[in-house]
Amino acid sequence: MSSGEAEVAGEPAAPAAPPPLEWKFGQVFGERAAGEEVQDVDIISAIEFDRSGEHLATGDRGGRVVLFDRIDLRDARGRREMEASDYPPAAHQQIDYRYSTEFQSHEPEFDYLKSLEIEEKINKIRWVNSSQGALYVLSTNDKTIKLWRVTERRVKAVSQFNCPPRAPADYLAPGAADAAADPALPTPPTSVPGGPQINPRYLPRPGSLSSASAAARAVAAGAGAVLNGVGMEVDFPPGGFPQLRLPAVVSTSETTLVARCRRVFANAHAYHINSISCNSDRETFISADDLRVNLWSLENNAQSFNVVDIKPANMEDLTEVITCAEFHPSHCHSLAYSTSKGTIRLIDMRQSALCDQHSKLFEEQEPPGNRSFFSEIIASISDVKFSNDGRYIFSRDYMTVKLWDIHMEAQPLGTFKVHEFLRPKLCDLYENDCIFDKFECTPSGDGLRCASGSYSNLFRVFGVVPGSDEASLLESSKTPNRRMVQTPAKGGGRAGARGRRDARREAVDAMDPNGMQHDFSSKLLHLAWHPKANLIACAASNSLYMYYA
């Protein structure tokens, strides 16, 4: 027995790995037609579920935020329809969403002091956990963070249009019938399009109220003069029209969502904001740029507190930048931030006001023989996520997803290769700047799996528990499994069998899973996992795809 196997045998028995999920297409919003050109402002740049999973928010490069509401199909389908379906009862867990509302969050701006254009692109979206009935959303572009309050309001409509279609017979003036009978005489209109019926008795006479002084005299006498819809002056008698009733604005039973900007958090970052994260105390949030992490109060946008500052006295000594920052899901005093060197630092804000010293450092040392010109570039971490229980950290660099235990800093528990077959093409990826793409990762609500995107609108779902062989390859289309790669069934422990899992992933990814030339312009950077169900929302260009299992 090898030493690695001995270590696994000595560990406590881990729960059995769940079987791989069978993913199915759920729905799509904004599907692109064949040959349709996509506008840059319509490309989705951020996506986020709220904590309950009832709401989904997306942001695009045009500065818009679009909200979706959940629909449970089990409530919409009849029992007979479900019994007649070919799917087993366990498959009736599909959750659909419907378009709710959208609003313009950011506009393009220009910094006149720095002669710099500020794009309206939404970099990040975060739902704010609130005890109130309203929904709160934080959205940010490169410089400005905005807090939006989304509430339900009843739709108001104009009602009480109860004027008769035409005036009663006794309401006609003498001579009106004669005027109608003689075609040579002009027939005065008795109604105004969209307005009340008008008694011909009060239609304009030659020379009646033809001047402002005449109108003033009529008003002073208790009468009035109005202009009808055809631009004619109409005498308004002192008693008013007997049949005229003003319409009223009433609230209907229909409701709609209305967004209102509550606060703007600006002028606190000298560099582009790359991430925001809400605290579990529901009172504060952080925002991070390349060199600093700031702490804000949701109730006060006048000032922020700098909690992390890695800017050196001499900028020539700068060796790394902050790439992402995330609050711990339950410990309001802890947060983690990643750097371009591939390190993750966990800090405790109780130690000092400015957290220059980290409490834990997560870093995997690369063997000296494996270093190359691209090693530092591909080691840069683009996304960091905590598991819901706060025990594990998921990080995404250019080539892999790594799973860290917050109690073990020396090495990750597992490394999952997303597109290892691209390693021989790093030189080409460097020349076309694709090597600097920032992919996100998203863990499942139960912490058993993790998903991350790749090129050609592909994404992978990995099983991260001991013994799991799950490494599904899916495509963001209506047929997600057409490019699935079969994986060998071979298990391993979470920590002890890390090497065997890495070898299995490498054996799978050594070949091109598409069997064709990759499309590096179609990249799946943003995706989110439902917090309580096996449902993944993926942003492929301007289309939002959803898959369930």
Side-chain angles (χ1 to χ4, degrees), residues 42-73:
D42 295 330
I43 297 178
I44 300 175
S45 58
I47 182 171
E48 183 79 6
F49 283 101
D50 73 333
R51 174 167 290 189
S52 66
E54 298 294 326
H55 305 278
L56 174 66
T58 64
D60 59 27
R61 295 185 180 180
R64 298 181 297 263
V65 173
V66 184
L67 303 183
F68 301 87
D69 288 337
R70 170 180 169 174
I71 307 174
D72 196 336
L73 294 185

PDB file of all heavy atoms in Angstrom, residues 42-73:
ATOM      1  N   ASP A  42     -25.307  44.787 -25.492  1.00  0.00           N
ATOM      2  CA  ASP A  42     -26.247  43.754 -25.056  1.00  0.00           C
ATOM      3  C   ASP A  42     -25.556  42.545 -24.430  1.00  0.00           C
ATOM      4  O   ASP A  42     -26.241  41.637 -23.942  1.00  0.00           O
ATOM      5  CB  ASP A  42     -27.095  43.283 -26.239  1.00  0.00           C
ATOM      6  CG  ASP A  42     -27.985  44.390 -26.783  1.00  0.00           C
ATOM      7  OD1 ASP A  42     -28.375  45.265 -25.995  1.00  0.00           O
ATOM      8  OD2 ASP A  42     -28.279  44.382 -27.996  1.00  0.00           O
ATOM      9  N   ILE A  43     -24.240  42.505 -24.433  1.00  0.00           N
ATOM     10  CA  ILE A  43     -23.522  41.355 -23.883  1.00  0.00           C
ATOM     11  C   ILE A  43     -23.612  41.374 -22.361  1.00  0.00           C
ATOM     12  O   ILE A  43     -23.335  42.397 -21.705  1.00  0.00           O
ATOM     13  CB  ILE A  43     -22.059  41.367 -24.337  1.00  0.00           C
ATOM     14  CG1 ILE A  43     -21.982  41.219 -25.870  1.00  0.00           C
ATOM     15  CG2 ILE A  43     -21.264  40.256 -23.657  1.00  0.00           C
ATOM     16  CD1 ILE A  43     -20.576  41.266 -26.414  1.00  0.00           C
ATOM     17  N   ILE A  44     -24.003  40.245 -21.778  1.00  0.00           N
ATOM     18  CA  ILE A  44     -24.167  40.143 -20.326  1.00  0.00           C
ATOM     19  C   ILE A  44     -22.795  40.136 -19.657  1.00  0.00           C
ATOM     20  O   ILE A  44     -21.911  39.378 -20.053  1.00  0.00           O
ATOM     21  CB  ILE A  44     -24.966  38.884 -19.966  1.00  0.00           C
ATOM     22  CG1 ILE A  44     -26.360  38.940 -20.611  1.00  0.00           C
ATOM     23  CG2 ILE A  44     -25.090  38.722 -18.455  1.00  0.00           C
ATOM     24  CD1 ILE A  44     -27.175  37.681 -20.420  1.00  0.00           C
ATOM     25  N   SER A  45     -22.635  40.965 -18.628  1.00  0.00           N
ATOM     26  CA  SER A  45     -21.355  41.094 -17.938  1.00  0.00           C
ATOM     27  C   SER A  45     -21.411  40.730 -16.464  1.00  0.00           C
ATOM     28  O   SER A  45     -20.372  40.697 -15.799  1.00  0.00           O
ATOM     29  CB  SER A  45     -20.831  42.535 -18.079  1.00  0.00           C
ATOM     30  OG  SER A  45     -21.776  43.461 -17.551  1.00  0.00           O
ATOM     31  N   ALA A  46     -22.588  40.435 -15.925  1.00  0.00           N
ATOM     32  CA  ALA A  46     -22.713  40.054 -14.512  1.00  0.00           C
ATOM     33  C   ALA A  46     -24.016  39.296 -14.326  1.00  0.00           C
ATOM     34  O   ALA A  46     -25.012  39.563 -15.025  1.00  0.00           O
ATOM     35  CB  ALA A  46     -22.676  41.277 -13.595  1.00  0.00           C
ATOM     36  N   ILE A  47     -24.017  38.355 -13.386  1.00  0.00           N
ATOM     37  CA  ILE A  47     -25.206  37.546 -13.111  1.00  0.00           C
ATOM     38  C   ILE A  47     -25.169  37.111 -11.652  1.00  0.00           C
ATOM     39  O   ILE A  47     -24.100  36.787 -11.121  1.00  0.00           O
ATOM     40  CB  ILE A  47     -25.264  36.328 -14.067  1.00  0.00           C
ATOM     41  CG1 ILE A  47     -26.523  35.503 -13.820  1.00  0.00           C
ATOM     42  CG2 ILE A  47     -24.024  35.469 -13.949  1.00  0.00           C
ATOM     43  CD1 ILE A  47     -26.742  34.441 -14.872  1.00  0.00           C
ATOM     44  N   GLU A  48     -26.350  37.111 -11.002  1.00  0.00           N
ATOM     45  CA  GLU A  48     -26.376  36.793  -9.571  1.00  0.00           C
ATOM     46  C   GLU A  48     -27.783  36.387  -9.142  1.00  0.00           C
ATOM     47  O   GLU A  48     -28.780  37.054  -9.471  1.00  0.00           O
ATOM     48  CB  GLU A  48     -25.928  38.017  -8.752  1.00  0.00           C
ATOM     49  CG  GLU A  48     -25.849  37.791  -7.262  1.00  0.00           C
ATOM     50  CD  GLU A  48     -24.597  37.063  -6.814  1.00  0.00           C
ATOM     51  OE1 GLU A  48     -23.721  36.823  -7.667  1.00  0.00           O
ATOM     52  OE2 GLU A  48     -24.488  36.748  -5.613  1.00  0.00           O
ATOM     53  N   PHE A  49     -27.888  35.263  -8.390  1.00  0.00           N
ATOM     54  CA  PHE A  49     -29.113  34.886  -7.698  1.00  0.00           C
ATOM     55  C   PHE A  49     -29.153  35.571  -6.335  1.00  0.00           C
ATOM     56  O   PHE A  49     -28.100  35.847  -5.727  1.00  0.00           O
ATOM     57  CB  PHE A  49     -29.181  33.368  -7.479  1.00  0.00           C
ATOM     58  CG  PHE A  49     -29.554  32.578  -8.702  1.00  0.00           C
ATOM     59  CD1 PHE A  49     -28.581  31.915  -9.438  1.00  0.00           C
ATOM     60  CD2 PHE A  49     -30.867  32.491  -9.118  1.00  0.00           C
ATOM     61  CE1 PHE A  49     -28.910  31.178 -10.562  1.00  0.00           C
ATOM     62  CE2 PHE A  49     -31.213  31.750 -10.240  1.00  0.00           C
ATOM     63  CZ  PHE A  49     -30.229  31.096 -10.963  1.00  0.00           C
ATOM     64  N   ASP A  50     -30.358  35.822  -5.836  1.00  0.00           N
ATOM     65  CA  ASP A  50     -30.445  36.268  -4.452  1.00  0.00           C
ATOM     66  C   ASP A  50     -30.377  35.054  -3.531  1.00  0.00           C
ATOM     67  O   ASP A  50     -30.337  33.907  -3.978  1.00  0.00           O
ATOM     68  CB  ASP A  50     -31.722  37.088  -4.218  1.00  0.00           C
ATOM     69  CG  ASP A  50     -32.968  36.211  -4.202  1.00  0.00           C
ATOM     70  OD1 ASP A  50     -32.957  35.144  -4.848  1.00  0.00           O
ATOM     71  OD2 ASP A  50     -33.957  36.598  -3.555  1.00  0.00           O
ATOM     72  N   ARG A  51     -30.341  35.286  -2.234  1.00  0.00           N
ATOM     73  CA  ARG A  51     -30.115  34.194  -1.280  1.00  0.00           C
ATOM     74  C   ARG A  51     -31.235  33.171  -1.309  1.00  0.00           C
ATOM     75  O   ARG A  51     -31.009  31.977  -1.106  1.00  0.00           O
ATOM     76  CB  ARG A  51     -29.942  34.763   0.127  1.00  0.00           C
ATOM     77  CG  ARG A  51     -29.847  33.716   1.219  1.00  0.00           C
ATOM     78  CD  ARG A  51     -29.372  34.277   2.530  1.00  0.00           C
ATOM     79  NE  ARG A  51     -27.957  34.652   2.475  1.00  0.00           N
ATOM     80  CZ  ARG A  51     -27.250  35.006   3.555  1.00  0.00           C
ATOM     81  NH1 ARG A  51     -27.830  35.054   4.735  1.00  0.00           N
ATOM     82  NH2 ARG A  51     -25.980  35.337   3.437  1.00  0.00           N
ATOM     83  N   SER A  52     -32.461  33.592  -1.571  1.00  0.00           N
ATOM     84  CA  SER A  52     -33.591  32.661  -1.595  1.00  0.00           C
ATOM     85  C   SER A  52     -33.719  31.935  -2.924  1.00  0.00           C
ATOM     86  O   SER A  52     -34.388  30.905  -3.004  1.00  0.00           O
ATOM     87  CB  SER A  52     -34.888  33.413  -1.297  1.00  0.00           C
ATOM     88  OG  SER A  52     -35.177  34.332  -2.336  1.00  0.00           O
ATOM     89  N   GLY A  53     -33.117  32.462  -3.973  1.00  0.00           N
ATOM     90  CA  GLY A  53     -33.265  31.879  -5.286  1.00  0.00           C
ATOM     91  C   GLY A  53     -34.534  32.284  -6.005  1.00  0.00           C
ATOM     92  O   GLY A  53     -34.799  31.824  -7.117  1.00  0.00           O
ATOM     93  N   GLU A  54     -35.333  33.152  -5.379  1.00  0.00           N
ATOM     94  CA  GLU A  54     -36.578  33.592  -5.995  1.00  0.00           C
ATOM     95  C   GLU A  54     -36.342  34.640  -7.082  1.00  0.00           C
ATOM     96  O   GLU A  54     -37.204  34.867  -7.923  1.00  0.00           O
ATOM     97  CB  GLU A  54     -37.526  34.167  -4.932  1.00  0.00           C
ATOM     98  CG  GLU A  54     -37.952  33.164  -3.872  1.00  0.00           C
ATOM     99  CD  GLU A  54     -38.813  32.064  -4.449  1.00  0.00           C
ATOM    100  OE1 GLU A  54     -39.587  32.346  -5.381  1.00  0.00           O
ATOM    101  OE2 GLU A  54     -38.719  30.919  -3.972  1.00  0.00           O
ATOM    102  N   HIS A  55     -35.195  35.283  -7.040  1.00  0.00           N
ATOM    103  CA  HIS A  55     -34.933  36.377  -7.975  1.00  0.00           C
ATOM    104  C   HIS A  55     -33.547  36.186  -8.594  1.00  0.00           C
ATOM    105  O   HIS A  55     -32.624  35.667  -7.965  1.00  0.00           O
ATOM    106  CB  HIS A  55     -35.021  37.730  -7.280  1.00  0.00           C
ATOM    107  CG  HIS A  55     -36.314  37.966  -6.569  1.00  0.00           C
ATOM    108  ND1 HIS A  55     -37.452  38.393  -7.214  1.00  0.00           N
ATOM    109  CD2 HIS A  55     -36.659  37.816  -5.261  1.00  0.00           C
ATOM    110  CE1 HIS A  55     -38.432  38.503  -6.342  1.00  0.00           C
ATOM    111  NE2 HIS A  55     -37.980  38.163  -5.152  1.00  0.00           N
ATOM    112  N   LEU A  56     -33.423  36.638  -9.831  1.00  0.00           N
ATOM    113  CA  LEU A  56     -32.170  36.581 -10.572  1.00  0.00           C
ATOM    114  C   LEU A  56     -31.938  37.939 -11.226  1.00  0.00           C
ATOM    115  O   LEU A  56     -32.874  38.538 -11.774  1.00  0.00           O
ATOM    116  CB  LEU A  56     -32.235  35.481 -11.640  1.00  0.00           C
ATOM    117  CG  LEU A  56     -31.054  35.381 -12.612  1.00  0.00           C
ATOM    118  CD1 LEU A  56     -29.788  34.969 -11.893  1.00  0.00           C
ATOM    119  CD2 LEU A  56     -31.372  34.405 -13.742  1.00  0.00           C
ATOM    120  N   ALA A  57     -30.714  38.419 -11.140  1.00  0.00           N
ATOM    121  CA  ALA A  57     -30.355  39.709 -11.721  1.00  0.00           C
ATOM    122  C   ALA A  57     -29.205  39.533 -12.693  1.00  0.00           C
ATOM    123  O   ALA A  57     -28.272  38.768 -12.435  1.00  0.00           O
ATOM    124  CB  ALA A  57     -29.978  40.713 -10.628  1.00  0.00           C
ATOM    125  N   THR A  58     -29.262  40.242 -13.802  1.00  0.00           N
ATOM    126  CA  THR A  58     -28.163  40.270 -14.768  1.00  0.00           C
ATOM    127  C   THR A  58     -27.851  41.718 -15.103  1.00  0.00           C
ATOM    128  O   THR A  58     -28.735  42.581 -15.080  1.00  0.00           O
ATOM    129  CB  THR A  58     -28.512  39.519 -16.061  1.00  0.00           C
ATOM    130  OG1 THR A  58     -29.594  40.187 -16.728  1.00  0.00           O
ATOM    131  CG2 THR A  58     -28.897  38.077 -15.766  1.00  0.00           C
ATOM    132  N   GLY A  59     -26.594  41.974 -15.417  1.00  0.00           N
ATOM    133  CA  GLY A  59     -26.165  43.285 -15.884  1.00  0.00           C
ATOM    134  C   GLY A  59     -25.438  43.142 -17.201  1.00  0.00           C
ATOM    135  O   GLY A  59     -24.845  42.093 -17.484  1.00  0.00           O
ATOM    136  N   ASP A  60     -25.472  44.156 -18.026  1.00  0.00           N
ATOM    137  CA  ASP A  60     -24.830  44.069 -19.330  1.00  0.00           C
ATOM    138  C   ASP A  60     -23.873  45.229 -19.537  1.00  0.00           C
ATOM    139  O   ASP A  60     -23.729  46.109 -18.680  1.00  0.00           O
ATOM    140  CB  ASP A  60     -25.872  44.001 -20.458  1.00  0.00           C
ATOM    141  CG  ASP A  60     -26.792  45.215 -20.477  1.00  0.00           C
ATOM    142  OD1 ASP A  60     -26.384  46.290 -20.017  1.00  0.00           O
ATOM    143  OD2 ASP A  60     -27.934  45.086 -20.969  1.00  0.00           O
ATOM    144  N   ARG A  61     -23.232  45.228 -20.680  1.00  0.00           N
ATOM    145  CA  ARG A  61     -22.243  46.266 -20.980  1.00  0.00           C
ATOM    146  C   ARG A  61     -22.876  47.610 -21.287  1.00  0.00           C
ATOM    147  O   ARG A  61     -22.177  48.616 -21.355  1.00  0.00           O
ATOM    148  CB  ARG A  61     -21.367  45.817 -22.159  1.00  0.00           C
ATOM    149  CG  ARG A  61     -20.516  44.602 -21.861  1.00  0.00           C
ATOM    150  CD  ARG A  61     -19.594  44.281 -23.029  1.00  0.00           C
ATOM    151  NE  ARG A  61     -18.771  43.106 -22.759  1.00  0.00           N
ATOM    152  CZ  ARG A  61     -17.879  42.607 -23.608  1.00  0.00           C
ATOM    153  NH1 ARG A  61     -17.694  43.192 -24.786  1.00  0.00           N
ATOM    154  NH2 ARG A  61     -17.184  41.531 -23.295  1.00  0.00           N
ATOM    155  N   GLY A  62     -24.159  47.633 -21.493  1.00  0.00           N
ATOM    156  CA  GLY A  62     -24.864  48.885 -21.718  1.00  0.00           C
ATOM    157  C   GLY A  62     -25.316  49.563 -20.452  1.00  0.00           C
ATOM    158  O   GLY A  62     -26.020  50.578 -20.518  1.00  0.00           O
ATOM    159  N   GLY A  63     -24.937  49.030 -19.272  1.00  0.00           N
ATOM    160  CA  GLY A  63     -25.307  49.637 -18.002  1.00  0.00           C
ATOM    161  C   GLY A  63     -26.689  49.290 -17.517  1.00  0.00           C
ATOM    162  O   GLY A  63     -27.182  49.889 -16.550  1.00  0.00           O
ATOM    163  N   ARG A  64     -27.350  48.324 -18.141  1.00  0.00           N
ATOM    164  CA  ARG A  64     -28.701  47.943 -17.732  1.00  0.00           C
ATOM    165  C   ARG A  64     -28.675  46.776 -16.754  1.00  0.00           C
ATOM    166  O   ARG A  64     -27.820  45.900 -16.853  1.00  0.00           O
ATOM    167  CB  ARG A  64     -29.557  47.573 -18.953  1.00  0.00           C
ATOM    168  CG  ARG A  64     -29.773  48.696 -19.944  1.00  0.00           C
ATOM    169  CD  ARG A  64     -30.643  48.232 -21.097  1.00  0.00           C
ATOM    170  NE  ARG A  64     -29.998  47.167 -21.849  1.00  0.00           N
ATOM    171  CZ  ARG A  64     -29.308  47.364 -22.963  1.00  0.00           C
ATOM    172  NH1 ARG A  64     -29.159  48.582 -23.442  1.00  0.00           N
ATOM    173  NH2 ARG A  64     -28.765  46.343 -23.611  1.00  0.00           N
ATOM    174  N   VAL A  65     -29.647  46.764 -15.861  1.00  0.00           N
ATOM    175  CA  VAL A  65     -29.865  45.656 -14.938  1.00  0.00           C
ATOM    176  C   VAL A  65     -31.241  45.071 -15.226  1.00  0.00           C
ATOM    177  O   VAL A  65     -32.239  45.807 -15.273  1.00  0.00           O
ATOM    178  CB  VAL A  65     -29.772  46.112 -13.467  1.00  0.00           C
ATOM    179  CG1 VAL A  65     -30.168  44.978 -12.521  1.00  0.00           C
ATOM    180  CG2 VAL A  65     -28.365  46.597 -13.148  1.00  0.00           C
ATOM    181  N   VAL A  66     -31.288  43.761 -15.462  1.00  0.00           N
ATOM    182  CA  VAL A  66     -32.529  43.064 -15.776  1.00  0.00           C
ATOM    183  C   VAL A  66     -32.828  42.089 -14.653  1.00  0.00           C
ATOM    184  O   VAL A  66     -31.940  41.332 -14.226  1.00  0.00           O
ATOM    185  CB  VAL A  66     -32.438  42.314 -17.127  1.00  0.00           C
ATOM    186  CG1 VAL A  66     -33.773  41.669 -17.473  1.00  0.00           C
ATOM    187  CG2 VAL A  66     -32.005  43.272 -18.234  1.00  0.00           C
ATOM    188  N   LEU A  67     -34.062  42.096 -14.158  1.00  0.00           N
ATOM    189  CA  LEU A  67     -34.476  41.233 -13.057  1.00  0.00           C
ATOM    190  C   LEU A  67     -35.464  40.185 -13.561  1.00  0.00           C
ATOM    191  O   LEU A  67     -36.308  40.459 -14.416  1.00  0.00           O
ATOM    192  CB  LEU A  67     -35.120  42.049 -11.939  1.00  0.00           C
ATOM    193  CG  LEU A  67     -34.279  43.183 -11.335  1.00  0.00           C
ATOM    194  CD1 LEU A  67     -35.032  43.845 -10.197  1.00  0.00           C
ATOM    195  CD2 LEU A  67     -32.929  42.670 -10.865  1.00  0.00           C
ATOM    196  N   PHE A  68     -35.332  38.973 -13.004  1.00  0.00           N
ATOM    197  CA  PHE A  68     -36.213  37.864 -13.321  1.00  0.00           C
ATOM    198  C   PHE A  68     -36.798  37.307 -12.026  1.00  0.00           C
ATOM    199  O   PHE A  68     -36.132  37.312 -10.988  1.00  0.00           O
ATOM    200  CB  PHE A  68     -35.467  36.750 -14.064  1.00  0.00           C
ATOM    201  CG  PHE A  68     -34.838  37.201 -15.360  1.00  0.00           C
ATOM    202  CD1 PHE A  68     -33.559  37.743 -15.384  1.00  0.00           C
ATOM    203  CD2 PHE A  68     -35.522  37.075 -16.553  1.00  0.00           C
ATOM    204  CE1 PHE A  68     -32.972  38.153 -16.565  1.00  0.00           C
ATOM    205  CE2 PHE A  68     -34.945  37.480 -17.748  1.00  0.00           C
ATOM    206  CZ  PHE A  68     -33.674  38.021 -17.755  1.00  0.00           C
ATOM    207  N   ASP A  69     -38.041  36.823 -12.106  1.00  0.00           N
ATOM    208  CA  ASP A  69     -38.730  36.207 -10.972  1.00  0.00           C
ATOM    209  C   ASP A  69     -38.922  34.727 -11.234  1.00  0.00           C
ATOM    210  O   ASP A  69     -39.111  34.297 -12.375  1.00  0.00           O
ATOM    211  CB  ASP A  69     -40.096  36.860 -10.727  1.00  0.00           C
ATOM    212  CG  ASP A  69     -39.951  38.245 -10.140  1.00  0.00           C
ATOM    213  OD1 ASP A  69     -38.895  38.520  -9.543  1.00  0.00           O
ATOM    214  OD2 ASP A  69     -40.886  39.056 -10.282  1.00  0.00           O
ATOM    215  N   ARG A  70     -38.950  33.968 -10.156  1.00  0.00           N
ATOM    216  CA  ARG A  70     -39.083  32.514 -10.267  1.00  0.00           C
ATOM    217  C   ARG A  70     -40.535  32.109 -10.485  1.00  0.00           C
ATOM    218  O   ARG A  70     -41.465  32.693  -9.937  1.00  0.00           O
ATOM    219  CB  ARG A  70     -38.551  31.860  -8.990  1.00  0.00           C
ATOM    220  CG  ARG A  70     -38.846  30.372  -8.886  1.00  0.00           C
ATOM    221  CD  ARG A  70     -38.303  29.781  -7.607  1.00  0.00           C
ATOM    222  NE  ARG A  70     -38.813  28.440  -7.387  1.00  0.00           N
ATOM    223  CZ  ARG A  70     -38.418  27.629  -6.413  1.00  0.00           C
ATOM    224  NH1 ARG A  70     -37.506  28.033  -5.562  1.00  0.00           N
ATOM    225  NH2 ARG A  70     -38.926  26.421  -6.282  1.00  0.00           N
ATOM    226  N   ILE A  71     -40.708  31.075 -11.310  1.00  0.00           N
ATOM    227  CA  ILE A  71     -41.999  30.421 -11.499  1.00  0.00           C
ATOM    228  C   ILE A  71     -41.807  28.943 -11.220  1.00  0.00           C
ATOM    229  O   ILE A  71     -40.934  28.307 -11.808  1.00  0.00           O
ATOM    230  CB  ILE A  71     -42.530  30.585 -12.934  1.00  0.00           C
ATOM    231  CG1 ILE A  71     -42.538  32.058 -13.338  1.00  0.00           C
ATOM    232  CG2 ILE A  71     -43.934  30.013 -13.073  1.00  0.00           C
ATOM    233  CD1 ILE A  71     -42.906  32.257 -14.790  1.00  0.00           C
ATOM    234  N   ASP A  72     -42.597  28.365 -10.337  1.00  0.00           N
ATOM    235  CA  ASP A  72     -42.523  26.935 -10.065  1.00  0.00           C
ATOM    236  C   ASP A  72     -43.502  26.231 -10.983  1.00  0.00           C
ATOM    237  O   ASP A  72     -44.722  26.401 -10.871  1.00  0.00           O
ATOM    238  CB  ASP A  72     -42.855  26.649  -8.599  1.00  0.00           C
ATOM    239  CG  ASP A  72     -42.425  25.261  -8.168  1.00  0.00           C
ATOM    240  OD1 ASP A  72     -42.301  24.391  -9.059  1.00  0.00           O
ATOM    241  OD2 ASP A  72     -42.197  25.044  -6.968  1.00  0.00           O
ATOM    242  N   LEU A  73     -42.973  25.433 -11.903  1.00  0.00           N
ATOM    243  CA  LEU A  73     -43.834  24.778 -12.888  1.00  0.00           C
ATOM    244  C   LEU A  73     -44.745  23.735 -12.265  1.00  0.00           C
ATOM    245  O   LEU A  73     -45.747  23.354 -12.854  1.00  0.00           O
ATOM    246  CB  LEU A  73     -42.977  24.131 -13.980  1.00  0.00           C
ATOM    247  CG  LEU A  73     -42.193  25.108 -14.862  1.00  0.00           C
ATOM    248  CD1 LEU A  73     -41.488  24.342 -15.968  1.00  0.00           C
ATOM    249  CD2 LEU A  73     -43.104  26.154 -15.447  1.00  0.00           C
TER     250      LEU A  73
END
